């Protein structure tokens, strides 16, 4: 009877976790997503899967045959596994930290007669689904590319299909371990959003750095495949076992599963021992009151400060909606340091570049400025608070003015700074000196 009750409780927790995972894509709330929204999301997911699959399939075709002929077919699968791990960890680390340790129902569930290990296990299985989706996005097209280029036996195909379900456990292990470290570091922080944003930016910069240099790395890999293979065997031994198992070797598969179970068990035991303490922790905020004069401010100023605080308190909001300002800042610094070298490269690649460089600069500024879309999401983020705002003696226009002003303040200075830098580097005519910053 007790076992049946525990199974029923665990099933309910798992269903809740999976429902929350899919509702995060289809929209939250009591009202179920309509069929049109579900179909649109499915089509978007298929499009993204096919797009990334096409890119990875092309990369796999260029690597599969040369590595196989060099006797390093296992290295191909090890590289695919490494890419899968990187994408899964970058895409899920903050989700893991939020789902495991910062879920809004943590205190409610921990106050119930539910073992903490059961709560943790249900949430980790929910995260496994996400890790599996990321892993399949990389491994499936690269497996298809290998088996279309190389004649392999049935054992290799069967074991590769099995490893599609096993590798996400390693991704999950690394993800929850990093999420645990982030939760441990930030549980007493007062300005946690700043730390989260800096870490997110570091991961984003690392991703783009690798993406833009991927062709160089692939060339170096093919030229130095022997040295790379030796390094993987020494420093990434589990991935070596993964590669050997993908070629159809049974003993490396068993060894990989053994290492996976050991590492996953240790990480799970660590999380289970600290889950209740971290999940129930609240930052200790001590504020010493200082007597001071209160200054009155206008309606627009007060609403603007509210919007700014809301923006700075949400790392996801900042990264998704203010990324254009970051790119403008990075571009301005890069133009000052490497502007002339970049111009020489463009002159050699684009015919008649000098005649249209001012137009290119203005269009590029417009494109980067357009990547900021702060006002529109701020309206939907108000949610139920909009009714509270409208209950004040405020004109509705003032509320929207503050939201628009936030977008202008967080975008215009970066556009103007980048425009001035472009003027300094390009040395355009007198008219374009003013038009380039103004067009942005």
């Amino acid at each position: 009877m007790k076992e049946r009750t525990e199974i029923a409780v665990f099933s309910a927790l798992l269903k809740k976790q999976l429902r929350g995972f899919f509702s995060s894509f289809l929209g939250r709330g009591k009202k179920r997503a309509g069929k049109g929204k579900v179909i649109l999301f499915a089509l978007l997911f298929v499009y993204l899967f096919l797009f990334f699959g096409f890119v990875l399939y092309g990369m796999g075709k260029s690597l599969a045959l040369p590595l196989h002929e060099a006797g390093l077919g296992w290295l191909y699968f090890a590289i695919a596994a490494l890419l899968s791990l990187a994408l899964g960890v970058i895409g899920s680390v903050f989700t893991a930290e939020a789902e495991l340790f910062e879920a809004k129902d943590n205190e409610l569930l921990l106050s119930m007669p539910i073992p903490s290990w059961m709560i943790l296990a249900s949430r980790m299985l929910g995260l496994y689904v996400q890790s599996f989706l990321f892993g399949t996005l990389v491994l499936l097209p690269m497996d298809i590319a290998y088996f279309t280029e190389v004649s392999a036996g049935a054992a290799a195909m069967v074991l590769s299909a099995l490893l599609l379900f096993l590798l996400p456990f390693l991704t999950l292990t690394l993800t929850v371990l990093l999420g645990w470290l982030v939760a441990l570091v930030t549980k007493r922080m007062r300005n946690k959003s700043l730390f989260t944003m800096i870490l997110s930016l570091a991961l984003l910069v690392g991703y783009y750095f690798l993406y833009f240099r991927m062709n160089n790395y692939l060339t170096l890999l093919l030229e130095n495949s022997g040295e790379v293979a030796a390094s993987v065997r020494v420093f990434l031994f589990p991935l070596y076992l993964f590669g050997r198992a993908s070629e159809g070797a049974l003993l490396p598969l068993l060894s990989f599963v053994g290492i996976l179970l050991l590492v996953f068990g240790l990480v799970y035991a660590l999380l289970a021992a600290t889950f209740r303490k971290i999940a129930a922790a609240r930052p200790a905020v001590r504020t010493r009151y200082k007597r001071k004069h209160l200054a009155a401010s206008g309606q627009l100023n007060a609403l603007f400060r509210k919007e700014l605080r809301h923006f700075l308190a949400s790392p996801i909001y900042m990264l998704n909606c203010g990324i254009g300002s970051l790119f403008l800042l990075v571009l301005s610094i890069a133009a000052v340091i490497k502007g002339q070298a970049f111009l020489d490269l463009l002159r050699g690649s684009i015919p008649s570049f000098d005649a249209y460089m001012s137009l290119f600069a203005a269009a590029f500024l417009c494109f980067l400025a357009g990547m900021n879309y702060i006002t529109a999401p701020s309206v939907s983020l108000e949610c139920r608070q909009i009714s509270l705002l409208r209950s004040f003696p405020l004109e509705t226009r003032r509320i929207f003015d503050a939201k628009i002003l936030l977008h202008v303040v967080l975008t215009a200075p970066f556009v103007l700074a980048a425009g001035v830098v472009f003027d300094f580097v390009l040395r355009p005519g007198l008219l374009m000196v003013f038009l380039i910053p103004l067009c942005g």
Side-chain angles (χ1 to χ4, degrees):
M1 188 67 177
K2 182 180 179 181
E3 289 78 6
R4 289 184 180 179
T5 303
E6 290 182 347
I7 292 173
V9 171
F10 184 76
S11 299
L13 289 173
L14 184 57
K15 288 179 182 177
K16 169 190 166 299
Q17 191 67 25
L18 293 176
R19 193 183 304 118
F21 172 73
F22 289 108
S23 68
S24 64
F25 295 98
L26 299 175
R28 298 181 183 274
K30 295 181 180 180
K31 186 177 179 180
R32 296 182 62 183
K35 291 183 179 180
K37 192 173 184 179
V38 173
I39 293 173
L40 182 62
F41 169 74
L43 291 175
L44 178 62
F45 180 80
V46 170
Y47 168 77
L48 291 174
F49 190 90
L50 292 176
F51 174 76
F52 284 105
F54 178 77
V55 173
L56 291 166
Y57 177 80
M59 185 181 74
K61 284 179 70 71
S62 64
L63 289 176
L65 195 58
L67 290 177
H68 175 74
E69 291 177 347
L72 297 172
W74 64 265
L75 180 60
Y76 174 89
F77 292 105
I79 293 170
L82 185 61
L83 292 175
S84 175
L85 288 172
L87 180 63
V89 170
I90 291 174
S92 304
V93 60
F94 292 110
T95 303
E97 188 256 347
E99 290 292 332
L100 292 177
F101 303 108
E102 291 193 348
K104 295 181 180 180
D105 57 354
N106 270 342
E107 292 184 352
L108 175 63
L109 292 176
L110 290 173
S111 66
M112 296 180 177
I114 303 174
S116 57
W117 69 263
M118 193 176 291
I119 302 172
L120 181 62
S122 64
R123 289 182 174 165
M124 288 183 73
L125 282 176
L127 290 170
Y128 169 82
V129 174
Q130 185 171 347
S131 299
F132 175 76
L133 292 176
F134 279 119
T136 306
L137 185 65
V138 176
L139 288 180
L140 186 59
M142 294 198 72
D143 283 351
I144 294 173
Y146 185 85
F147 291 122
T148 54
E149 291 291 312
V150 176
S151 298
M157 294 184 181
V158 171
L159 293 187
S160 295
L162 177 61
L163 288 167
L164 282 175
F165 296 91
L166 292 177
L167 186 65
F169 280 104
L170 184 57
T171 306
L172 174 65
T173 303
L174 296 175
T175 300
V176 297
L177 182 60
L178 287 176
W180 174 78
L181 290 174
V182 171
L184 200 63
V185 169
T186 60
K187 70 174 182 177
R188 299 295 180 185
M189 280 188 178
R190 296 182 61 180
N191 195 0
K192 179 186 172 183
S193 60
L194 179 62
F195 174 83
T196 305
M197 187 190 69
I198 293 174
L199 186 57
S200 301
L201 286 176
L203 293 174
L204 187 65
V205 169
Y207 166 77
Y208 277 109
F209 179 80
L210 292 175
Y211 178 79
F212 286 115
R213 296 183 61 87
M214 183 60 70
N215 288 333
N216 296 333
Y217 290 143
L218 292 178
T219 303
L220 290 174
L221 173 63
L222 293 176
E223 292 175 352
N224 305 279
S225 56
E227 292 82 355
V228 174
S231 300
V232 170
R233 292 189 64 171
V234 174
F235 299 106
L236 299 172
F237 185 69
L239 296 186
Y240 164 72
L241 294 175
F242 178 92
R244 293 282 293 113
S246 298
E247 288 187 307
L250 184 59
L251 184 59
L253 173 67
L254 298 176
S255 302
F256 177 76
V257 172
I259 293 174
L260 186 62
L261 291 175
L262 176 63
V263 175
F264 182 79
L266 290 174
V267 170
Y268 181 81
L270 176 65
L271 291 175
T274 58
F275 175 74
R276 182 177 291 271
K277 183 178 179 180
I278 297 177
R282 285 289 180 270
V285 179
R286 294 184 177 89
T287 303
R288 177 177 292 181
Y289 176 75
K290 292 182 180 180
R291 184 178 179 181
K292 57 184 179 181
H293 293 287
L294 296 177
S297 63
Q299 293 180 351
L300 183 61
N301 188 22
L303 290 170
F304 171 77
R305 283 186 292 167
K306 179 189 79 70
E307 295 293 336
L308 183 61
R309 283 195 301 269
H310 193 183
F311 180 80
L312 296 177
S314 174
I316 296 177
Y317 187 11
M318 285 188 283
L319 286 173
N320 289 341
C321 303
I323 194 68
S325 295
L326 175 64
F327 284 161
L328 286 166
L329 177 62
V330 172
L331 179 66
S332 302
I333 297 172
V336 171
I337 299 173
K338 292 286 187 179
Q340 200 58 47
F342 189 61
L343 282 179
D344 294 339
L345 177 63
L346 290 176
R347 286 191 179 100
S349 305
I350 303 176
S352 304
F353 172 76
D354 288 333
Y356 302 102
M357 64 179 181
S358 298
L359 295 177
F360 287 148
F364 196 51
L365 279 182
C366 291
F367 171 74
L368 292 179
M371 294 179 69
N372 278 5
Y373 49 100
I374 298 170
T375 299
S378 70
V379 176
S380 61
L381 287 172
E382 287 286 355
C383 197
R384 298 174 183 173
Q385 299 300 322
I386 193 68
S387 58
L388 178 62
L389 273 178
R390 298 194 65 182
S391 68
F392 295 149
L394 290 170
E395 294 182 40
T396 304
R397 181 173 61 83
R398 286 293 184 186
I399 300 174
F400 285 101
D401 286 345
K403 296 179 183 298
I404 295 170
L405 181 61
L406 179 68
H407 179 94
V408 173
V409 168
L410 294 178
T411 306
F414 295 95
V415 173
L416 291 175
V420 171
V421 172
F422 277 18
D423 288 340
F424 175 77
V425 174
L426 298 176
R427 311 282 184 176
L430 182 62
L431 179 63
M432 293 304 298
V433 166
F434 297 99
L435 287 181
I436 288 177
L438 290 178
C439 284

